[in-house]
Amino acid sequence: MRGLDLERLRAYLKSERELTGRMFAGGRSNLTYAVTDGEQRWVLRRPPLGHVLPTAHDMAREHRVLEALSKAGFPAPRPVLLCTDTEVIGAPFYLMEHVDGTIYRDIAALEALGPDQMRALTLSLVDTLADLHALDPAAIGLEGFGRPEGFNQRQVVRWKKQLDASRSREVAGIEELHARLAVDIPAGGPGTVVHGDFRLDNVLIGDALQVNAVLDWEMSTLGDPLSDVALMLIYADLPLNPGAGGRPTAPLRVPGHPSLAELGARYAERSRRDVSDLHWYVGFAAFKLAVILEGVHYRYVQGQTVGEGFESIGQMVGPLVMRGHEALEGH
């Protein structure tokens, strides 16, 4: 299996049983595999193959935040072990418990829920984000996990560096967007745990439409919670896979999905935070996501992606840059 040698993993775990595994579809960055010995089930995470951006794929950080959040009662998978020895499978990795649930990646599956359940699912997602931001980092063992002071300023610098490290083509308007974002950066309020990539297809949903687990913590840190809110809003209007025979459609267009204003109001009500002026945050979220997808496109053209669905990622970058400019203009 590309990216995971099950025999070497079995030897490391000292398992008497043969291991089987499969790679999860849909991941754009760190590689994620389901692994079982026939009795126990785990999920393994490792960095992507080839081109890896600095700090973006730190297994130890992911392991630490999962351990803290799961112990605090937040819906995150419980980590089982961390291995930083690259000799085992060729890269650092960690194992976490397997959590049951559904990941809604296809619009057809969302439409099949019906309007009432679509609304309930989306509001559950918003509530979960507000609950994450309500946690006290020091109280749950995440003091020093990030530096909230100057977070937004550093983010603007960091994601420009990430863009410069992933260039394979010219992207119209992206340099101008970065320059505009750098002019008037919000100071931000008190820092919280931020996920960094919070979206519908990064959560496992249970039968009662509750969030069983939030996944993909590779960009988590301590920072400005409004950055998570803005990114959630950008993702809501970003097309998902259509499912069989359909057209790519944004979750926002599915009957029952709350409007972006309703999502913001729900978050404000649960979190008691002011979200009345998110223009800069939405503009930056669009820039950040454009850079992330440009990095995925870079790995795709270099032949370093694993799985399917990467050929169209690059086409999403331009519209995100335009959305960022529109947000800064108050739209």
Side-chain angles (χ1 to χ4, degrees):
M1 186 184 312
R2 194 176 184 202
L4 177 58
D5 187 323
L6 288 171
E7 282 304 312
R8 298 194 70 171
L9 178 62
R10 176 186 178 185
Y12 177 77
L13 297 177
K14 298 181 173 60
S15 173
E16 296 180 358
R17 296 173 173 270
E18 181 179 355
L19 299 182
T20 58
R22 62 180 177 87
M23 190 179 74
F24 285 107
R28 293 195 296 249
S29 189
N30 287 340
L31 305 182
T32 309
Y33 303 84
V35 178
T36 181
D37 65 0
E39 288 189 349
Q40 300 184 76
R41 295 187 297 167
W42 307 281
V43 174
L44 182 145
R45 291 265 285 175
R46 58 149 292 166
L49 306 178
H51 178 70
V52 176
L53 297 173
T55 75
H57 309 284
D58 189 332
M59 297 295 99
R61 280 183 64 83
E62 277 197 52
H63 182 274
R64 179 184 174 188
V65 73
L66 286 177
E67 187 169 48
L69 292 173
S70 59
K71 285 182 177 178
F74 183 80
R78 181 181 60 85
V80 177
L81 66 84
L82 169 68
C83 176
T84 58
D85 183 358
T86 59
E87 297 299 314
V88 178
I89 66 167
F93 69 93
Y94 69 90
L95 286 180
M96 55 185 160
E97 66 176 353
H98 182 279
V99 179
D100 290 325
T102 300
I103 297 179
Y104 286 93
R105 289 198 175 98
D106 295 336
I107 283 298
L110 292 176
E111 291 174 336
L113 290 173
D116 290 344
Q117 288 195 310
M118 181 68 215
R119 179 176 178 82
L121 169 60
T122 310
L123 294 180
S124 176
L125 187 72
V126 177
D127 291 348
T128 300
L129 183 61
D131 293 347
L132 172 67
H133 295 160
L135 295 172
D136 180 350
I140 64 173
L142 288 177
E143 188 171 14
F145 188 66
R147 293 178 293 147
E149 302 79 10
F151 171 79
N152 290 326
Q153 176 76 45
R154 291 194 307 276
Q155 286 283 290
V156 171
V157 173
R158 174 191 176 187
W159 287 99
K160 177 59 163 61
K161 289 181 178 178
Q162 305 284 49
L163 173 64
D164 292 341
S166 301
R167 289 190 183 277
S168 61
R169 59 180 181 166
E170 291 297 318
V171 178
I174 199 166
E175 296 287 350
E176 293 82 358
L177 177 56
H178 174 263
R180 294 179 72 183
L181 290 164
V183 169
D184 189 19
I185 302 174
T192 69
V193 180
V194 295
H195 181 275
D197 197 26
F198 192 81
R199 53 193 164 100
L200 178 60
D201 52 331
N202 260 348
V203 296
L204 282 164
I205 301 297
D207 292 340
L209 301 182
Q210 79 280 8
V211 175
N212 282 353
V214 180
L215 310 174
D216 292 359
W217 292 87
E218 64 198 74
M219 288 187 285
S220 60
T221 188
L222 304 186
D224 190 332
L226 297 187
S227 64
D228 268 348
V229 178
L231 193 58
M232 177 181 66
L233 299 181
I234 285 288
Y235 272 122
D237 204 13
L238 197 70
L240 286 178
N241 294 331
R247 296 180 59 187
T249 305
L252 188 62
R253 314 300 169 202
V254 175
H257 193 292
S259 69
L260 297 183
E262 287 179 284
L263 295 181
R266 176 72 169 222
Y267 176 85
E269 178 184 6
R270 192 170 179 96
S271 69
R272 304 301 179 191
R273 286 190 173 86
D274 182 6
V275 298
S276 59
D277 187 1
L278 289 176
H279 297 306
W280 184 92
Y281 290 96
V282 172
F284 178 75
F287 173 76
K288 172 182 170 179
L289 185 53
V291 174
I292 291 171
L293 297 186
E294 189 63 13
V296 176
H297 175 74
Y298 181 98
R299 290 200 301 275
Y300 171 72
V301 298
Q302 297 291 322
Q304 296 169 348
T305 51
V306 180
E308 300 178 350
F310 293 96
E311 65 280 351
S312 61
I313 291 291
Q315 301 170 18
M316 303 167 70
V317 176
L320 280 167
V321 173
M322 291 178 59
R323 180 69 187 95
H325 283 290
E326 290 170 356
L328 295 182
E329 290 156 10
H331 302 302

